[in-house]
């Protein structure tokens, strides 16, 4: 019996040691560190968990009632944590790792190291900007990613609406830190953001897309009584009026005052240590140590090479001796045969053609890809409330639980901007095999 008790005690001690090192120390396997790092990133980001869509498969939905912490304090903790995990990663003996494991280790090392290098520039960005700022991305997240599939998720949606004020206050804290450091957006960014926020918060709550999209989703929820639906809609209207709109008004007031301090200088060279920040951005984006001058020279050479190719193609198509390919393309882009009507029918035809292009490419890729996304890909219009300042197109990943397809969003604000001869390039980049296979 004494031997049995000793064995049990040893096993309990080993299990305790395994759990403690797994959660707080150095896991006994580098693979466990990979998993722990990913889980930590996910669990500290409720919005990321919603986007991944894994927990919902197991009936876990607590995260869908919360928004990710955007405070300066939380960001500081994340930097401290990732640098600790980087040190632990580098403590594993490389000679004991297989080739596949070393590849994973090197990728994780590069990612964590890149994040750590960027800490000194953590305030060198504009959280509110005309393309991907929180003022447009958070509503888009609520409308496109939050799963309104039952009554509980309807309540979670409202709880998130009521957290807009907290989230915006956290972002405001970071904006004020940036202002003290001289990181102020150029005037054109501030003006576009102000126009966007004023329009978004200047309509009755029941006409805001946060309400109308929620209403339309609730209408599709089965086993939801009319009284529950009306109660949820009433709560959403109240949350928009009492939480969402006041949060936007605070931003509007701040940016109105900030506009007076802004300049028309729009390069990162104007920021503190702007040249060093630019060099960091290049390394982060390219994974090389090329200087800005080297990258610029590569760009010039590539543009010249591509324009020569374009000119040759245009000549073979019968357009004569083309000396300026971009100018010729700009001329072709105005021809009616390459444009859609600026009407509802024209927009739908454009979306249909994008979907056809993607479906045709998807059917041709079996000889080239052994691993393919399980999720489908659909084409949708960029939400109208953000299309004025949004990019021409962007991709939204599918969830990992199989409940939401990937989406290729096309900006249809002005149909004269969409040229039929350029649609395949954009569709392949944003959709298949581009970001849909990548992400």
């Amino acid at each position: 019996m004494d031997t049995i008790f000793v064995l049990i005690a040893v096993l309990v001690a080993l299990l305790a040691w395994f759990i403690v090192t797994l959660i707080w120390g150095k896991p006994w396997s580098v693979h466990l560190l990979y998993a722990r790092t990913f889980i930590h990133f996910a669990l500290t980001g409720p919005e990321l968990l919603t986007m991944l869509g894994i927990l919902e498969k197991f009936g876990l939905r607590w995260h869908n009632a919360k928004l990710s912490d955007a405070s300066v304090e939380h960001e500081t903790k994340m930097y401290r944590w990732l640098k600790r995990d980087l040190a632990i990663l580098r403590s594993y003996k490389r000679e004991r790792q297989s080739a596949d494991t070393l590849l994973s280790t090197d990728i994780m090392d590069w990612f964590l190291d890149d994040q750590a290098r960027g800490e000194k520039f953590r305030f060198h960005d504009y959280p509110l900007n005309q393309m991907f700022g929180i003022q447009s991305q958070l509503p888009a997240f609520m409308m496109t990613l939050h799963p309104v599939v039952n009554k509980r998720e309807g309540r979670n949606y409202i709880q998130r609406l009521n957290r807009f004020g907290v989230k915006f206050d956290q972002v405001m804290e970071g904006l004020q830190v940036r202002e003290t450091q001289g990181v102020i957006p150029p005037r054109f960014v501030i003006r576009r953001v102000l126009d966007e926020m004023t329009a978004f918060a200047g309509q009755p709550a029941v006409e805001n897309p946060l309400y109308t999209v929620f209403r339309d989703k609730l209408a599709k929820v089965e086993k939801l009584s009319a009284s529950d639906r009306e109660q949820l809609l009433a709560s959403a209207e109240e949350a928009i009026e009492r939480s969402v709109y006041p949060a936007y008004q605070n931003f509007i007031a701040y940016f109105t005052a900030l506009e007076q301090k802004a300049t028309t200088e729009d390069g990162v060279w104007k920021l503190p240590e702007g040249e060093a920040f630019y060099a960091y951005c290049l390394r982060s984006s390219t994974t090389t140590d090329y200087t800005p001058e080297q990258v610029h020279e590569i760009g010039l050479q590539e543009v010249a090479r591509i324009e020569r190719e374009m000119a040759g193609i245009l000549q073979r198509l019968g357009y004569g001796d083309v000396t300026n390919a971009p100018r010729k393309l700009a001329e072709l882009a105005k021809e009616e045969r390459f444009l859609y009507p600026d009407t509802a029918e024209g927009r739908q035809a454009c979306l249909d053609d994008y979907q056809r292009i993607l479906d045709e490419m998807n059917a041709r890729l079996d000889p080239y890809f052994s691993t393919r996304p399980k999720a489908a890909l659909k084409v949708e219009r960029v939400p109208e409330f953000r299309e004025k300042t949004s990019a021409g197109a962007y991709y939204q990943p599918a969830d990992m639980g199989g409940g939401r397809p990937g989406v290729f969003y096309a900006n249809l604000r002005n149909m004269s901007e969409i040229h039929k001869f350029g649609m395949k390039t954009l569709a392949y980049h944003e959709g298949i095999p581009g970001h849909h296979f990548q992400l």
Side-chain angles (χ1 to χ4, degrees):
M1 290 298 294
D2 288 344
T3 302
I4 292 174
F5 282 132
V6 169
L7 288 173
I8 292 174
V10 170
L11 289 173
V12 170
L14 287 172
L15 180 62
W17 171 82
F18 176 84
I19 294 173
V20 168
T21 56
L22 177 62
I23 299 176
W24 293 287
K26 176 182 177 180
W28 69 275
S29 163
V30 69
H31 293 277
L32 292 174
L33 180 67
Y34 302 158
R36 184 181 75 180
T37 302
F38 168 74
I39 291 171
H40 190 277
F41 265 114
L43 292 181
T44 55
E47 294 167 38
L48 174 60
L49 286 173
T50 298
M51 187 187 77
L52 293 174
I54 299 174
L55 296 182
E56 288 82 355
K57 291 186 68 174
F58 304 98
L60 301 175
R61 300 182 178 277
W62 54 267
H63 53 287
N64 289 334
K66 302 178 180 180
L67 295 176
S68 299
D69 192 335
S71 66
V72 173
E73 180 185 7
H74 175 73
E75 190 177 72
T76 300
K77 289 180 180 178
M78 291 296 288
Y79 275 112
R80 188 162 57 242
W81 165 78
L82 71 85
K83 285 188 287 187
R84 176 175 172 270
D85 267 18
L86 178 59
I88 292 174
L89 177 69
R90 290 173 173 173
S91 71
Y92 291 95
K93 294 184 182 300
R94 294 179 62 84
E95 60 269 20
R96 295 182 181 178
Q97 302 178 43
S98 68
D100 286 346
T101 300
L102 279 174
L103 178 59
S104 295
T105 294
D106 289 342
I107 291 172
M108 181 174 173
D109 186 300
W110 199 95
F111 171 74
L112 294 177
D113 178 70
D114 182 62
Q115 298 294 306
R117 287 170 181 247
E119 183 178 13
K120 67 182 296 185
F121 304 116
R122 58 189 284 197
F123 298 116
H124 278 53
D125 63 347
Y126 308 135
L128 273 71
N129 63 75
Q130 77 281 14
M131 294 189 65
F132 301 109
I134 186 178
Q135 80 289 344
S136 61
Q137 281 187 297
L138 187 54
F141 166 84
M142 294 293 293
M143 290 183 278
T144 61
L145 295 180
H146 183 98
V148 183
V149 294
N150 53 40
K151 182 179 178 180
R152 179 181 176 184
E153 288 292 24
R155 289 174 174 170
N156 286 341
Y157 184 93
I158 294 164
Q159 284 186 263
R160 275 180 158 163
L161 289 180
N162 282 317
R163 296 285 296 176
F164 267 53
V166 174
K167 177 108 177 181
F168 278 34
D169 285 347
Q170 292 169 343
V171 174
M172 179 71 81
E173 176 190 11
L175 290 174
Q176 292 168 340
V177 171
R178 287 168 174 81
E179 183 182 354
T180 62
Q181 295 185 3
V183 180
I184 298 175
R187 194 170 294 154
F188 84 91
V189 172
I190 294 177
R191 176 40 47 192
R192 291 185 184 180
V193 168
L194 275 172
D195 291 344
E196 180 182 40
M197 292 192 297
T198 301
F200 185 79
Q203 53 192 321
V206 294
E207 296 177 14
N208 189 283
L210 284 171
Y211 179 93
T212 58
V213 171
F214 184 53
R215 178 197 62 205
D216 295 343
K217 288 185 176 182
L218 285 178
K220 300 176 182 177
V221 177
E222 299 178 359
K223 299 180 181 179
L224 184 64
S225 68
S227 60
D228 284 341
R229 186 175 290 108
E230 291 303 317
Q231 185 178 8
L232 288 170
L233 287 172
S235 297
E237 180 183 2
E238 182 180 9
I240 292 170
E241 290 177 344
R242 294 191 178 185
S243 299
V244 176
Y245 280 175
Y248 274 86
Q249 292 303 329
N250 287 340
F251 271 158
I252 290 171
Y254 177 75
F255 268 72
T256 299
L258 194 66
E259 189 175 23
Q260 307 306 312
K261 304 176 183 179
T263 68
T264 57
E265 297 174 327
D266 51 17
V268 297
W269 45 262
K270 73 169 187 172
L271 304 177
E273 297 187 71
E275 289 189 8
F277 173 55
Y278 190 72
Y280 163 75
C281 289
L282 280 181
R283 181 185 182 277
S284 180
S285 296
T286 68
T287 75
T288 73
D289 290 314
Y290 293 151
T291 65
E293 291 76 19
Q294 287 174 309
V295 173
H296 186 65
E297 182 58 32
I298 291 172
L300 293 176
Q301 292 175 9
E302 280 298 288
V303 168
R305 179 186 66 80
I306 292 168
E307 288 187 0
R308 286 195 299 271
E309 246 185 83
M310 292 163 62
I313 294 170
L314 288 167
Q315 188 171 1
R316 291 197 297 273
L317 289 174
Y319 290 101
D321 186 14
V322 177
T323 58
N324 190 316
R327 183 182 301 161
K328 185 61 182 178
L329 281 182
E331 293 173 4
L332 293 174
K334 297 178 182 178
E335 294 186 13
E336 187 175 348
R337 59 182 171 140
F338 293 125
L339 296 172
Y340 291 94
D342 196 23
T343 61
E345 292 76 16
R347 286 176 169 81
Q348 187 58 53
C350 177
L351 295 176
D352 292 342
D353 283 346
Y354 269 129
Q355 189 70 61
R356 175 185 53 78
I357 290 169
L358 290 165
D359 291 343
E360 288 175 352
M361 176 55 72
N362 193 41
R364 296 171 59 186
L365 293 179
D366 280 341
Y368 307 100
F369 290 89
S370 59
T371 302
R372 297 172 60 112
K374 295 181 180 179
L377 174 66
K378 64 177 182 178
V379 180
E380 292 188 4
R381 179 180 182 176
V382 171
E384 291 185 60
F385 83 93
R386 66 179 303 194
E387 67 181 7
K388 183 178 180 181
T389 60
S390 180
Y394 57 88
Y395 172 77
Q396 178 178 283
D399 67 16
M400 298 179 73
R404 186 184 68 248
V407 182
F408 164 58
Y409 282 100
N411 196 324
L412 306 184
R413 62 192 166 203
N414 183 351
M415 297 309 291
S416 66
E417 296 176 351
I418 300 176
H419 317 126
K420 293 180 181 180
F421 56 75
M423 290 174 64
K424 287 185 177 180
T425 307
L426 188 61
Y428 300 155
H429 172 93
E430 296 291 350
I432 295 174
H435 289 316
H436 189 57
F437 276 45
Q438 173 207 358
L439 299 174

